[in-house]
Amino acid sequence: MKGYVSTSWGQLHYRAAGLEHSQAQLSLVMLHESPRSSMVYTPVLEELGRTLPVYAFDTPGFGMSDSAPDDAPIADYARIFLEAIDALGIGRFVILGMKTGSYLGSHLIEAAGPKRVGAAILYAMAGPDADRQERYARTWAPDLDIPEDGSLFTRLWAKNVGIYGTASPRDLSMCVAEAVINIDRYNSIYPATFRSHDRTWRLITEYSKLIPITILVPDGAQMTPEEQVELVSIPGTREVLMPAKGQFASQCPGPFTAAIREAISAVSAADVS
């Protein structure tokens, strides 16, 4: 199913499955990468919803959610997600966040508190580097012009090939489509995301002492066709290798759902004991 929930920033759109399991001890809250939407999780939504309620939100400013205020920090996005989670009556939950969703999810742990967040499954990161992150904040996602020759589409295609490779033309097409359909705000969250990098790293390290945190490590990571990212292990977390560069829900749904279920099962087992 799909729905909307009201927050201080307007309406957040979400996709949900497994709501018949409303008495389950845990729900799963899924946060997507940018500039995509909750659509990225549709290949696994129903499967994950077989045993617990699952909610995949469109980040403010993306998909069908209302926009965020200009220059809002990542901590404010987390606060809005928590408003939505409370409004939907979600109790204790596990966070899944991919790429930008990892930054949002880490700050959501802080906003909700580790007693309410049973576990987190996040995407691998490079190590802290304030100068590098400031450079990305200023240059990585400039405003997009729309030339008459249609070259916008080939530029976006080439950029996404540089990030994900050519294994899935369908995923590349959806990356381009969601950026273009959201063209006036596709880059709205990137400066706040990059500038929160070092604090996000510290939050993950801190909360890994209090809740289980699983890091999904892609098969290679790049910012551009020329610039490879050196991913670094985060102290206290458990790493699971994924056989894809990204878009795990569509490119490796089996290993992806298995890693999520293992993290949820560990929380459930701990609750029983």
Side-chain angles (χ1 to χ4, degrees), residues 66-124:
D66 288 336
S67 293
D70 291 343
D71 301 320
I74 291 298
D76 283 359
Y77 282 85
R79 175 178 57 81
I80 293 303
F81 277 123
L82 187 56
E83 282 188 20
I85 288 166
D86 289 343
L88 289 169
I90 299 170
R92 197 163 180 233
F93 58 94
V94 169
I95 294 169
L96 169 72
M98 294 290 99
K99 295 198 169 185
T100 308
S102 291
Y103 292 79
L104 295 166
S106 302
H107 285 77
L108 181 54
I109 300 172
E110 183 179 42
K115 290 186 178 179
R116 188 166 178 194
V117 179
I121 306 111
L122 306 172
Y123 193 91

Side-chain angles (χ1 to χ4, degrees), residues 3 9-10 20 51 58 60 80 82 111 117 135 171 181-184 204 213 228 232 234 242 250 259 262 270:
W9 289 358
E20 67 273 18
T51 55
D58 286 356
I80 293 303
L82 187 56
V117 179
R135 173 167 59 87
D171 283 327
I181 204 168
N182 194 36
I183 195 165
D184 292 328
I204 295 173
I213 295 182
Q228 188 169 352
V232 180
I234 301 177
M242 291 284 106
S250 58
E262 186 172 0

Side-chain angles (χ1 to χ4, degrees), residues 125-128 197-205 232-235:
M125 298 172 64
H197 181 96
D198 290 5
R199 174 160 175 74
T200 299
W201 179 279
R202 291 194 299 272
L203 286 174
I204 295 173
T205 303
V232 180
S233 296
I234 301 177

Side-chain angles (χ1 to χ4, degrees), residues 1-258:
M1 65 163 287
K2 300 176 185 178
Y4 289 89
V5 58
S6 295
T7 74
S8 300
W9 289 358
Q11 291 190 314
L12 258 61
H13 175 258
Y14 65 91
R15 290 172 164 86
L19 300 190
E20 67 273 18
H21 304 298
S22 60
Q23 300 306 310
Q25 292 184 330
L26 291 168
S27 296
L28 177 63
V29 170
M30 307 172 82
L31 308 176
H32 62 82
E33 62 197 76
S34 301
R36 300 297 308 275
S37 72
S38 58
M39 182 187 296
V40 299
Y41 293 125
T42 53
V44 298
L45 202 63
E46 294 297 329
E47 179 64 27
L48 290 169
R50 289 180 180 272
T51 55
L52 81 172
V54 180
Y55 298 84
F57 289 97
D58 286 356
T59 299
F62 296 86
M64 292 184 281
S65 287
D66 288 336
S67 293
D70 291 343
D71 301 320
I74 291 298
D76 283 359
Y77 282 85
R79 175 178 57 81
I80 293 303
F81 277 123
L82 187 56
E83 282 188 20
I85 288 166
D86 289 343
L88 289 169
I90 299 170
R92 197 163 180 233
F93 58 94
V94 169
I95 294 169
L96 169 72
M98 294 290 99
K99 295 198 169 185
T100 308
S102 291
Y103 292 79
L104 295 166
S106 302
H107 285 77
L108 181 54
I109 300 172
E110 183 179 42
K115 290 186 178 179
R116 188 166 178 194
V117 179
I121 306 111
L122 306 172
Y123 193 91
M125 298 172 64
D129 185 333
D131 291 342
R132 178 186 62 210
Q133 301 309 320
E134 181 59 29
R135 173 167 59 87
Y136 288 154
R138 289 185 286 101
T139 65
W140 194 77
D143 292 341
L144 296 174
D145 60 330
I146 310 176
E148 294 181 357
D149 61 4
S151 59
L152 166 67
F153 295 90
T154 55
R155 291 204 317 271
L156 287 172
W157 182 274
K159 182 173 185 176
N160 281 283
V161 166
I163 298 170
Y164 297 115
T166 58
S168 176
R170 184 182 189 283
D171 283 327
L172 293 172
S173 298
M174 296 307 298
C175 288
V176 173
E178 290 209 287
V180 171
I181 204 168
N182 194 36
I183 195 165
D184 292 328
R185 54 184 194 169
Y186 93 101
N187 58 358
S188 57
I189 199 172
Y190 286 120
T193 301
F194 287 126
R195 288 176 177 134
S196 75
H197 181 96
D198 290 5
R199 174 160 175 74
T200 299
W201 179 279
R202 291 194 299 272
L203 286 174
I204 295 173
T205 303
E206 175 185 346
Y207 285 113
S208 70
K209 301 171 186 174
L210 302 174
I211 63 172
I213 295 182
T214 299
I215 302 296
L216 302 185
V217 181
D219 182 17
Q222 293 188 228
M223 292 296 295
T224 70
E226 298 79 24
E227 187 171 3
Q228 188 169 352
V229 178
E230 183 179 351
L231 302 174
V232 180
S233 296
I234 301 177
T237 65
R238 172 178 171 269
E239 294 184 351
V240 178
L241 299 178
M242 291 284 106
K245 286 190 172 184
Q247 311 290 329
F248 299 148
S250 58
Q251 294 198 27
C252 54
F256 185 50
T257 55

